Amino acid sequence: MATKLPPVDALLVGFGWTGAILGQELTDAGLNVLALERGGWRDTATDFATSFIQDELRFYYRHELFQEPARETLSFRNSTNEVALPMRQLGSFLPASGVGGAGIHWNGQNWRFLPSDFLTRSHNTERYGAPAIPDTMTVQDWGVTYEDLEPYYDRWEHLCGISGKAGNIKGQIQPGGNPFEGPRSRDFPNPPMDMTYGPTLFAQAARDIGLKPFPAPSANMSRAYTNPLGVQLGPCTYCGFCEKFGCGNYSKASPQTTILPVLLRKKNFTLKTECEVIKINLDSDKKRAVSVTFIDPQGEEYEQPAELIILSAFVLHNVHLLLLSGIGTPYDPNTGKGTLGKNYAYQIVSSVDVFYDDKILNPFVGAGALGMVVDEFNGDNFDHTNLGFIGGGYIACWNTNGRPIETHLVPDGTPKWGATWKKAVVKNYLKSMSLATHGSVMSHRGNYLDLDPTYRDFLGRPLMRMTFDFTENEHKMSDFLTGKTVEIARALKAREIRSNPRKGHYDITPYQTTHNTGGAIMGSNPQESVLNRYLQHWDVSNLFVMGSSAFPQNAGYNPTGTVAALALWSANAIKTQYLKTPGPLVQA
């Protein structure tokens, strides 16, 4: 029997970026807010100190900051014709565990989605005709527009001190920025990062073939910055330990360096760590969430009532909890009925490696979002007529790191190990770099999330089952991007280039990105989506679901900026509409 606790006004399940944002916004509105985080406490001074954080074995290869598969994992298959098997060690993506979530170990590559990204079905149908979207492709419009979210993108960028160069301010194209971006109300709060040699060479080569490179928007600080909450961040030291690591210099935006110093001092905010929420409990009519059940570090079970419940965990955990709680109708790929678990998507990437004889690139002088980018082939920035796909992505030269265990580019023909391999690593370490593509993934009928009928977690609950593969659309798009990247590589006039296109089925084993999306998608009606335009559940009006689980499909950009803008948009709707008149914010 669970011990019932005193009720709270608002309950947050998970405490990463979206949990911190909603905690700050709702406590400002006067609510008593409780956050339950399944992982432990993490703090910059004690957990990310520069004396030990730059440890590849501990933090990357041994996964100190990440989810433990022995406690929680998922099963995976490429298609319904296969038997799903558990992912027993982390690979393709790295869900975090602990206060701050993936906001601790992200690179800081921060983007606004393109205006057309929010209108994927209607925009592409209007421009290319209905046949551009086959029956097996389940893409849809978001229910919100870029114009709706622009003020919240702006708030987020100033909260985090994003370093960058605007390309479009109030409709006026700005030299040196991204000319394809949607109009923004003002420039970034900080100037771009200082570019190292590799991205500088890439930018010049891109210009030489008629492209318009620009510095990537970065949550790594180009200078000291104080955000609107009064929290101070320091300038980046270009140490190259961003992705998969916490920042000990207070120079990468994270919940710890932007929000928590203010939020944790509030008397109307409480955080409980190592508390695993196992179920959302509904009333007898199944129209209202009344509480959650959670287990504390001692294994004791508690019921926590709340007037407002907000899922603010990682995308996969949000969907899993909804499935376990029986909230919503699970998606059936055979009939197309149901919405919960529908439209899972990911990201597709490829690369082109470049090797020099006469240039010293110093890859170890880097930062997570230090790079130059071209956007000509992202979204619908180019004519897709007769290309056989929709979507796109960016091409970039990132100088994120030269970490010694992870970084060892060698030319084709080099043995995989031994003395010859070691000599090749030494010869090429300072004289090589990789150009990256980062592409969108459209939603398809056969890609979805549900509960596994066989495998269970450490509490005896069904694992979530992921069924996913890249389709012809994604392969054609990625091949197109890779070909454009080869053109830039040739303009670099290097000794040797090597193309690494995406081939075959999606493989969950090697790391790619932690850019998972979908499963609890937003939209304009409950027949096609789990959430309305304010991230409010269609069936349970006091339940809101944050994060990229709301994305109806995945755009060509990294998702964090849009995740945060949606959280701020939803928080504003809760404060200005829901709290005044609790109930559905959109009538079905």
Side-chain angles (χ1 to χ4, degrees):
M1 177 69 72
T3 301
K4 193 168 186 177
L5 300 172
V8 296
D9 295 332
L11 176 66
L12 304 172
V13 179
F15 197 61
W17 266 126
T18 60
I21 289 170
L22 268 293
Q24 174 65 20
E25 294 292 306
L26 297 182
T27 51
D28 272 359
L31 273 62
N32 290 310
V33 178
L34 169 65
L36 297 176
E37 164 58 42
R38 69 190 176 113
W41 169 252
R42 298 195 189 278
D43 178 73
T44 300
T46 54
D47 293 290
F48 315 138
T50 53
S51 57
F52 61 79
I53 191 64
Q54 295 164 341
D55 184 335
E56 284 185 81
L57 283 176
R58 178 179 176 182
F59 290 98
Y60 178 22
Y61 291 97
R62 295 174 182 164
H63 297 156
E64 174 103 353
L65 297 175
F66 307 134
Q67 174 179 303
E68 299 177 33
R71 285 180 60 89
E72 184 167 2
T73 187
L74 52 80
S75 63
F76 170 75
R77 59 186 181 176
N78 284 126
S79 73
T80 56
N81 297 324
E82 300 174 347
V83 175
L85 296 175
M87 184 171 70
R88 298 192 182 276
Q89 62 183 30
L90 296 179
S92 181
F93 43 86
L94 300 172
S97 181
V99 170
I104 290 172
H105 71 78
W106 74 314
N107 255 333
Q109 296 168 11
N110 185 80
W111 298 97
R112 298 181 175 202
F113 283 6
L114 297 166
S116 61
D117 288 334
F118 297 98
L119 304 168
T120 299
R121 178 166 288 274
S122 61
H123 174 89
N124 283 284
T125 300
E126 181 179 347
R127 185 172 183 184
Y128 303 110
I133 301 178
D135 291 341
T136 56
M137 190 181 288
T138 54
V139 298
Q140 59 191 59
D141 293 354
W142 290 52
V144 296
T145 65
Y146 174 84
E147 290 73 21
D148 290 328
L149 294 183
E150 197 285 328
Y152 303 96
Y153 275 126
D154 180 77
R155 282 188 59 195
W156 162 253
E157 289 163 357
H158 284 75
L159 177 71
C160 292
I162 301 299
S163 306
K165 177 69 178 74
N168 183 340
I169 299 179
K170 299 179 179 179
Q172 297 297 312
I173 302 301
Q174 307 294 308
N178 180 6
F180 299 98
E181 70 176 359
R184 57 175 63 242
S185 53
R186 52 179 170 169
D187 208 339
F188 291 99
N190 283 317
M193 302 192 77
D194 293 330
M195 288 299 144
T196 49
Y197 195 26
T200 301
L201 291 171
F202 169 86
Q204 186 56 57
R207 291 188 195 98
D208 289 345
I209 61 173
L211 303 175
K212 298 178 177 64
F214 59 92
S218 167
N220 320 123
M221 299 302 104
S222 61
R223 62 184 178 186
Y225 180 71
T226 301
N227 77 6
L229 297 179
V231 181
Q232 297 178 332
L233 293 92
C236 180
T237 61
Y238 297 82
C239 74
F241 284 79
C242 291
E243 182 185 24
K244 312 177 187 80
F245 300 86
C247 178
N249 297 311
Y250 296 84
S251 53
K252 180 175 73 173
S254 68
Q256 280 82 351
T257 59
T258 58
I259 298 174
L260 299 194
V262 173
L263 178 58
L264 293 175
R265 291 199 297 264
K266 294 183 176 181
K267 293 182 179 180
N268 58 337
F269 178 77
T270 303
L271 169 64
K272 292 183 179 180
T273 59
E274 300 181 64
C275 291
E276 180 92 19
V277 175
I278 59 175
K279 187 179 181 183
I280 305 164
N281 304 305
L282 302 181
D283 65 9
S284 58
D285 294 330
K286 309 295 184 184
K287 295 295 183 183
R288 180 175 176 78
V290 295
S291 64
V292 302
T293 302
F294 73 91
I295 296 175
D296 76 357
Q298 288 72 45
E300 297 295 325
E301 193 170 296
Y302 293 89
E303 181 183 358
Q304 177 60 66
E307 290 296 313
L308 178 64
I309 295 177
I310 297 168
L311 303 191
S312 48
F314 184 59
V315 41
L316 301 177
H317 305 137
N318 285 343
V319 178
H320 192 210
L321 187 56
L322 290 170
L323 287 164
L324 291 171
S325 303
I327 301 176
T329 303
Y331 171 70
D332 183 343
N334 296 310
T335 65
K337 303 297 184 182
T339 57
L340 181 56
K342 175 185 174 184
N343 283 28
Y344 172 75
Y346 189 50
Q347 219 91 60
I348 189 167
V349 297
S350 66
S351 63
V352 176
D353 301 324
V354 179
F355 300 90
Y356 285 101
D357 283 326
D358 58 344
K359 291 180 172 57
I360 303 298
L361 302 175
N362 291 339
F364 52 85
V365 183
L370 171 65
M372 294 293 290
V373 184
V374 295
D375 226 16
E376 273 83 350
F377 312 110
N378 207 346
D380 199 37
N381 294 341
F382 60 103
D383 188 355
H384 288 67
T385 302
N386 297 324
L387 292 179
F389 65 86
I390 62 171
Y394 64 74
I395 302 170
C397 180
W398 300 110
N399 206 43
T400 61
N401 71 82
R403 296 188 289 268
I405 300 176
E406 190 178 350
T407 307
H408 39 71
L409 286 177
V410 291
D412 282 337
T414 304
K416 300 296 184 183
W417 62 282
T420 302
W421 175 81
K422 292 178 182 178
K423 289 178 182 178
V425 171
V426 172
K427 177 181 178 181
N428 292 282
Y429 176 76
L430 296 176
K431 299 179 180 180
S432 59
M433 64 182 183
S434 189
L435 313 183
T437 78
H438 192 276
S440 62
V441 170
M442 297 297 108
S443 298
H444 297 271
R445 184 166 183 158
N447 292 336
Y448 69 104
L449 306 170
D450 68 349
L451 293 178
D452 192 283
T454 304
Y455 294 99
R456 299 289 186 267
D457 66 11
F458 76 111
L459 294 172
R461 304 174 300 174
L463 294 186
M464 187 167 69
R465 179 172 60 180
M466 176 186 291
T467 305
F468 177 75
D469 205 355
F470 297 127
T471 72
E472 182 181 20
N473 185 85
E474 280 65 59
H475 279 294
K476 284 185 176 181
M477 186 277 299
S478 186
D479 288 346
F480 176 84
L481 273 182
T482 306
K484 296 298 182 181
T485 310
V486 168
E487 293 179 19
I488 301 173
R490 288 173 180 154
L492 283 163
K493 298 179 174 59
R495 177 193 81 221
E496 180 180 343
I497 65 173
R498 178 180 59 207
S499 177
N500 307 300
R502 170 65 63 182
K503 297 295 184 184
H505 296 288
Y506 166 68
D507 184 355
I508 203 169
T509 305
Y511 179 73
Q512 294 168 75
T513 75
T514 308
H515 303 163
N516 315 70
T517 65
I521 63 175
M522 62 191 299
S524 300
N525 64 73
Q527 289 74 43
E528 295 180 325
S529 56
V530 175
L531 312 175
N532 67 25
R533 69 196 306 261
Y534 298 110
L535 307 189
Q536 181 185 41
H537 200 285
W538 283 108
D539 298 333
V540 183
S541 63
N542 69 328
L543 177 64
F544 289 75
V545 184
M546 301 297 116
S548 61
S549 51
F551 292 13
Q553 54 276 325
N554 209 353
Y557 292 122
N558 309 49
T560 305
T562 299
V563 166
L566 283 170
L568 288 165
W569 156 263
S570 178
N572 181 69
I574 293 171
K575 292 192 301 181
T576 61
Q577 299 179 57
Y578 180 84
L579 294 180
K580 293 178 180 178
T581 310
L585 298 178
V586 179
Q587 296 303 316

